[in-house]
Amino acid sequence: MSSSTFAPTRSIAREPSRLQALIWLGLFAGAAALLGGSSRFDAVHIAALRPVAALFLIPAFYWISREKLGEARAPMTMLALMALWTALQLVPLPPSIWQALPGRGVIAELDALHGLEGNWRPISYVPMRGFNALFALVVPAAGALLLLALRPGIWAVFWAIAALGVVDAALGLAQILFGPGNPLYFYTHTNAGAAVGIFANENHSGVFSALALLVIARLGLDRSRPGRSRLSSIALTAAFVLVLLALLVSASRAALGVGLAALLASSLMALLWSRRAELARAKSGGMAFFARNPRTALIVGVAVVFALLYALMQFERAPGVIDTFEQSAFEDLRWRIVPILSEMMSRHWLVGTGFGTFDALYLLYEPTEFMGPAYVNQAHNDWAQLVIEGGLPAVALIAAFSIWAMLAIRGLFAREPEALARCVFWCAIAAILAVASLFDYPLRTPTFQLVAAWLVIALALERRNASKQH
């Protein structure tokens, strides 16, 4: 019998169709929206999300290739190294090593009192939390691999993020409309009565709305090309207004701050986009009017936003703005714990205390006067918490990633207005996430981690496409 008898009649397709790619992307986004809005390690939703996220590794591994991985080699390598360092923090070390680490004297004394001097211990103060942090990486890792494997295009990514932003905004407005205690709140530990949307924390929802505004603006400006669908432009305008409204009624001062930055960046993007040659020649359409009268359009836009904000304040529907004027931001607990964070960083900066261990470690440093019904579960400064938990290796990885991101954005730079608008977009995305992480911890929620992973891959792909064009 000849070997040709067993030869396949046709080759197996290893590239997904566009419809398949959109379906897989939409399913992952939907799972993250339903289950990934809380940063608490003990949230029951997390127990469901992680195995679901792991299932998305099946299509990712099926369609992935070395060539596709190479399109985002640097960020994927850094993610793998971060996972490796998280795992290394869980490796038991002999007493002569772990007892010499900063801050381990108390543990060594307790071991001596109980006759456990020979115990091997890892770097992590609470290994269970370290394993939780390690398993949490399955969400961004699966999201990044799936996006690289499917190759749906960066515009599909933007549409998915915009859809999540609209769902978050619509749900947040409904939560305010129906009041506290309604079943639209997904989580037990949440800001009841506030517009939290698909998240458990109003700050996270507000920051996500700011990102969604930028993404929707980017989509809308691309749709402003002559000959594009008018219906999609109308839908994106409605989405922008809806997300903006949800942002304005937020009780989060931080969200209002980054929201203002998103509006300014969107305006600058629109101004740059209006200078494109085809729009300058266009005789009709909103962007054509903007191209001919940029100052008038911007003044009208700013006036509309302030009028809407004033109306909401009159009806006491803008608590974040009211709190900004009536309450000193320095009364917030996050400012009171800054000296404690500084002490913790100065002691544990070398190898860290293990990812996920902050709240357990904070109890050793918390002053008596800070004790009360409320407790600190995160540092409310993710940059400081990264130093405390991850130490110098984690800081080095984040520094390397920051350099890569800056170089990637720099690679998009060109004198064409459209290229400048793209640079503004990515700079605004990076700035909002960086500033928000100074006052809160949005990137510790799985939904944010997934969206951040998608944005990083989208930046890598856009940089690669720009290199090919040049």
Side-chain angles (χ1 to χ4, degrees), residues 15-354:
E15 287 296 330
S17 66
R18 182 165 180 79
L19 179 60
Q20 286 177 315
L22 294 178
I23 290 174
W24 283 113
L25 211 63
L27 288 174
F28 206 161
L34 287 173
L35 304 171
S38 175
S39 62
R40 292 179 61 93
F41 77 95
D42 57 353
V44 67
H45 302 70
I46 302 299
L49 176 62
R50 289 176 185 170
V52 169
L55 290 176
F56 285 95
L57 289 171
I58 298 174
F61 286 147
Y62 179 76
W63 280 307
I64 201 66
S65 66
R66 184 177 300 179
E67 176 190 356
K68 292 176 180 179
L69 277 174
E71 294 176 345
R73 181 179 293 108
M76 293 304 295
T77 300
M78 294 174 200
L79 179 60
L81 289 174
M82 186 64 79
L84 177 62
W85 175 236
T86 305
L88 288 175
Q89 288 184 318
L90 300 171
V91 176
L93 302 173
S96 59
I97 296 179
W98 72 259
Q99 290 180 6
L101 297 176
R104 268 62 174 188
V106 174
I107 301 176
E109 292 176 6
L110 290 174
D111 279 354
L113 288 173
H114 292 84
L116 302 174
E117 296 91 337
N119 272 9
W120 287 41
R121 293 186 181 276
I123 292 173
S124 177
Y125 270 73
V126 190
M128 181 190 71
R129 299 289 183 84
F131 280 108
N132 178 72
L134 181 62
F135 296 149
L137 292 176
V138 70
V139 177
L145 287 171
L146 185 67
L147 184 59
L148 287 170
L150 296 177
R151 280 184 172 174
I154 62 172
W155 297 110
V157 177
F158 291 158
W159 278 107
I161 296 173
L164 283 175
V166 169
V167 171
D168 177 62
L171 185 61
L173 292 173
Q175 289 163 345
I176 291 180
L177 180 63
F178 291 104
N182 70 74
L184 296 177
Y185 289 96
F186 292 174
Y187 303 94
T188 302
H189 300 279
T190 188
N191 300 118
V196 299
I198 60 177
F199 296 91
N201 187 310
E202 60 188 346
N203 291 334
H204 301 166
S205 180
V207 174
F208 191 80
S209 292
L211 293 181
L213 284 179
L214 285 168
V215 171
I216 294 170
R218 174 80 187 267
L219 286 168
L221 292 172
D222 179 71
R223 294 281 160 176
S224 68
R225 297 174 186 269
R228 292 298 176 93
S229 169
R230 184 180 296 272
L231 181 62
S232 64
S233 298
I234 294 174
L236 287 168
T237 301
F240 191 90
V241 173
L242 178 69
V243 174
L244 176 61
L245 182 61
L247 189 61
L248 292 177
V249 301
S250 171
S252 168
R253 290 167 292 180
L256 288 174
V258 295
L260 177 61
L263 284 174
L264 291 174
S266 299
S267 301
L268 181 56
M269 288 163 56
L271 181 62
L272 292 168
W273 226 277
S274 68
R275 295 178 177 177
R276 294 165 54 200
E278 60 266 38
L279 288 177
R281 294 191 297 267
K283 297 181 179 180
S284 61
M287 286 302 294
F289 173 81
F290 192 93
R292 293 192 300 270
N293 308 279
R295 292 184 179 179
T296 303
L298 285 176
I299 291 173
V300 170
V302 171
V304 169
V305 171
F306 276 98
L308 180 60
L309 187 59
Y310 178 78
L312 291 171
M313 290 178 63
Q314 293 303 306
F315 290 99
E316 298 183 352
R317 292 298 183 183
V321 179
I322 296 172
D323 287 348
T324 300
F325 293 104
E326 294 183 354
Q327 178 181 348
S328 172
F330 289 93
E331 294 175 6
D332 198 300
L333 179 61
R334 59 173 57 91
W335 295 105
R336 296 169 61 195
I337 66 173
V338 168
I340 302 175
L341 297 180
S342 299
E343 182 183 355
M344 295 172 72
M345 283 190 292
S346 65
R347 182 170 297 185
H348 301 288
W349 64 269
L350 184 59
V351 294
T353 63

